[in-house]
Amino acid sequence: MKLSLLLALLLVAATTAQERYYHDSDGSVDEGEARAEEGYYGNGHYTGYRRYTTNPPNIGRSFFGIRQRDMNEIVQSHWDGDEKMYTFGEGFDEIIEDKIVPEICHLTSKNYSIYNSYLLDDFLLEQLEDMSPECQSFKCDVVHYAQQHAARIFVDVMNATSFREGVEVVGHELSRAFSELNFCTCGREFVRAIFRAAPFYNANALHTMTDGEIGGYYKVMRNVDVKSLGKVFDQLIAGVCASVGEETICLDNIVDVLVELTNRYNVTYSEWEAYSEAESRKFEKKQEKRCDAFFGVVRAFQKASDYDFDDLDPSDGEDFWEMMFERLGAGSNALYCAKGCRKQATRLYPCCLRKMMENNKIWDNVVNFIESVYHFYPVIEDDVYFPGFYEMDADKSEEELADWISWTVPDNLREKFMRVVHGAKYCEGKIVRCYN
């Protein structure tokens, strides 16, 4: 699928978010819904038989198809003095207090049994208990934090009036959670404990999710390189948590980049129709040279390869991934390296992000994990199975199977991938400067 098609779908979603119609199951317009919206927003604007609100559009709710009546069922509100508080409905707090808190906050490897647990098992509890003393309460703190803030965050995201506002809300809440939960220390230790325990996880929840057929889970988790995947997350957390100021971490800079990308998307969206229907190539070129939009990125993506996504799919192996990375890499190059736009590109390139992209430990471990999944894939697809003692049936010949399990990620494929995720590094001529 072309990037232009993907962008067009996003534009349609944005349009839908701004012109949300309300209908009952029989197709008739729900006028009560429109009135509820008017009470919710203040003075909305409604027209004729097909009533809809345009003042202001709630991008979050419209994008996910959540109407005001749904919001009233999902979230309940009350006033605590001058502050409006939110809680989830359907007995959410009771489930937290009666079910989740006793297990997450009070269960230990000493008082654990298969009868008093659902999410945790004894080995996972042992790994969590190996966390540093300051982080022993982390998992319980997360539950209480979610209980206190999750409903409010949900409302804020759903009621965002633009994609930019939605990104800003998520970024602010992540920054707050990282700080209040000491995620950069305790969250990192927690993730390490989870990955250590993952290959041996045996809680009741796993039996429920697999209908008791847990053998497949262990076959996968014991054969793919979970350890390397855990190292990837560990290094990413370290990068996101890198200090870039007295009270600022790299996460805040990354959110700023997402806000800037959202601004460019908004410009592209507002002028997409004029660009896509332009009769003059001169006008298209003018738009593609702009530093505040994605027209040049779309054009670069389209020109990068003779293949379309309709010609190949992931089952074609390296050919598909080379084509995809080549196209995405061209788009990344246009984003960071466009002539006359290096200054604007700096706003997309915080120095802490550059350090993350240059951390080969991350990408070496990504490669290790991908190779392990590739080597195990014939077993996942039942191309190889064992009907009896020392008996192996395979849909591949011995030579094909030997080639398959000796495969490694080609250097040129890795480089093309890096041109996607770290496009600024591969600009010709003047380098793109990062900012602190």
Side-chain angles (χ1 to χ4, degrees):
M1 181 184 295
K2 293 183 178 180
L3 181 61
S4 56
L5 178 56
L6 178 60
L7 185 57
L9 291 174
L10 288 173
L11 301 182
V12 170
T15 303
T16 302
Q18 294 186 43
E19 297 185 353
R20 183 72 181 174
Y21 294 88
Y22 302 101
H23 299 267
D24 289 328
S25 58
D26 62 358
S28 61
V29 175
D30 185 348
E31 298 189 16
E33 181 74 20
R35 296 191 193 100
E37 288 291 348
E38 183 171 8
Y40 187 79
Y41 287 133
N43 294 323
H45 172 66
Y46 306 98
T47 59
Y49 176 70
R50 295 176 65 82
R51 297 173 182 264
Y52 62 96
T53 178
T54 60
N55 181 33
N58 290 110
I59 297 294
R61 289 201 285 121
S62 295
F63 187 82
F64 291 102
I66 298 177
R67 302 187 296 180
Q68 181 58 39
R69 64 169 63 171
D70 301 320
M71 290 288 290
N72 293 339
E73 294 177 357
I74 296 171
V75 179
Q76 299 171 351
S77 63
H78 65 277
W79 289 95
D80 184 2
D82 295 333
E83 185 177 2
K84 193 172 187 179
M85 308 294 290
Y86 297 94
T87 58
F88 286 115
E90 300 295 333
F92 176 80
D93 283 342
E94 289 76 10
I95 293 174
I96 292 288
E97 290 296 336
D98 297 341
K99 303 293 183 181
I100 296 180
V101 167
E103 179 172 3
I104 300 300
C105 296
H106 305 304
L107 193 65
T108 70
S109 60
K110 304 299 182 184
N111 62 15
Y112 162 86
S113 81
I114 198 169
Y115 299 105
N116 66 0
S117 62
Y118 182 71
L119 298 172
L120 305 175
D121 64 30
D122 53 347
F123 185 73
L124 174 56
L125 284 165
E126 290 174 0
Q127 303 310 305
L128 295 173
E129 289 164 4
D130 281 341
M131 294 168 63
S132 60
E134 66 177 301
C135 298
Q136 286 295 309
S137 65
F138 176 77
K139 65 183 188 298
C140 186
D141 294 340
V142 170
V143 171
H144 287 306
Y145 190 90
Q147 187 178 16
Q148 183 178 358
H149 299 289
R152 174 186 55 78
I153 295 171
F154 174 78
V155 170
D156 289 345
V157 172
M158 291 298 103
N159 289 342
T161 57
S162 67
F163 288 124
R164 170 173 177 160
E165 183 181 339
V167 170
E168 289 176 334
V169 168
V170 172
H172 171 76
E173 296 297 343
L174 280 175
S175 182
R176 178 180 178 180
F178 269 53
S179 175
E180 294 190 16
L181 293 171
N182 192 17
F183 186 86
C184 290
T185 297
C186 297
R188 192 176 181 186
E189 290 187 23
F190 179 80
V191 171
R192 288 173 177 172
I194 293 297
F195 274 96
R196 286 198 303 269
F200 312 98
Y201 184 60
N202 193 33
N204 285 318
L206 178 63
H207 290 258
T208 301
M209 290 185 293
T210 61
D211 291 326
E213 301 293 332
I214 63 174
Y217 170 83
Y218 291 121
K219 181 176 285 189
V220 172
M221 297 301 288
R222 305 283 179 91
N223 284 279
V224 300
D225 195 346
V226 176
K227 185 176 181 180
S228 287
L229 184 61
K231 290 179 179 178
V232 172
F233 279 92
D234 184 68
Q235 290 295 314
L236 288 175
I237 293 173
V240 167
C241 289
S243 176
V244 295
E246 289 187 7
E247 298 182 357
T248 307
I249 61 175
C250 190
L251 172 67
D252 302 303
N253 285 358
I254 293 173
V255 172
D256 290 341
V257 170
L258 294 176
V259 170
E260 175 63 23
L261 291 174
T262 304
N263 290 339
R264 298 188 185 196
Y265 169 80
N266 289 337
V267 173
T268 307
Y269 162 70
S270 64
E271 302 183 28
W272 178 257
E273 184 175 355
Y275 171 76
S276 62
E277 297 179 1
E279 298 179 358
S280 167
R281 178 63 189 139
K282 182 178 180 180
F283 175 77
E284 290 180 340
K285 288 182 177 179
K286 181 181 177 181
Q287 293 292 85
E288 289 160 9
K289 291 179 180 179
R290 294 178 58 170
C291 303
D292 63 344
F294 292 136
F295 299 113
V297 173
V298 172
R299 181 67 176 176
F301 178 88
Q302 292 173 333
K303 291 176 60 179
S305 174
D306 294 332
Y307 290 100
D308 196 345
F309 283 106
D310 292 334
D311 300 321
L312 294 169
D313 61 56
S315 65
D316 291 302
E318 292 178 25
D319 290 338
F320 169 82
W321 295 107
E322 284 187 14
M323 182 272 290
M324 187 178 73
F325 292 153
E326 185 176 331
R327 285 198 160 189
L328 293 176
S332 181
N333 182 269
L335 183 67
Y336 283 100
C337 311
K339 185 178 180 181
C341 296
R342 297 292 176 91
K343 186 176 181 179
Q344 290 81 353
T346 294
R347 295 204 295 266
L348 305 177
Y349 197 40
C351 294
C352 62
L353 182 61
R354 185 196 69 185
K355 291 178 181 178
M356 288 176 62
M357 296 299 100
E358 292 177 346
N359 183 355
N360 285 327
K361 290 181 180 179
I362 294 176
W363 311 116
D364 289 343
N365 284 299
V366 168
V367 166
N368 291 340
F369 176 72
I370 290 174
E371 290 177 350
S372 71
V373 172
Y374 186 89
H375 296 160
F376 187 63
Y377 190 75
V379 179
I380 298 176
E381 288 294 294
D382 289 329
D383 290 339
V384 176
Y385 51 97
F386 296 85
F389 184 66
Y390 274 100
E391 296 179 17
M392 183 181 76
D393 286 342
D395 293 339
K396 301 179 184 297
S397 67
E398 291 186 8
E399 293 77 12
E400 289 175 328
L401 192 58
D403 289 340
W404 189 282
I405 62 179
S406 63
W407 179 84
T408 58
V409 174
D411 291 339
N412 68 313
L413 190 60
R414 176 169 175 167
E415 181 181 341
K416 287 185 177 182
F417 171 77
M418 292 307 301
R419 287 179 178 272
V420 175
V421 298
H422 196 191
K425 177 182 177 180
Y426 296 91
C427 294
E428 297 180 357
K430 287 186 177 181
I431 65 172
V432 177
R433 296 186 180 276
C434 64
Y435 76 89
N436 287 306

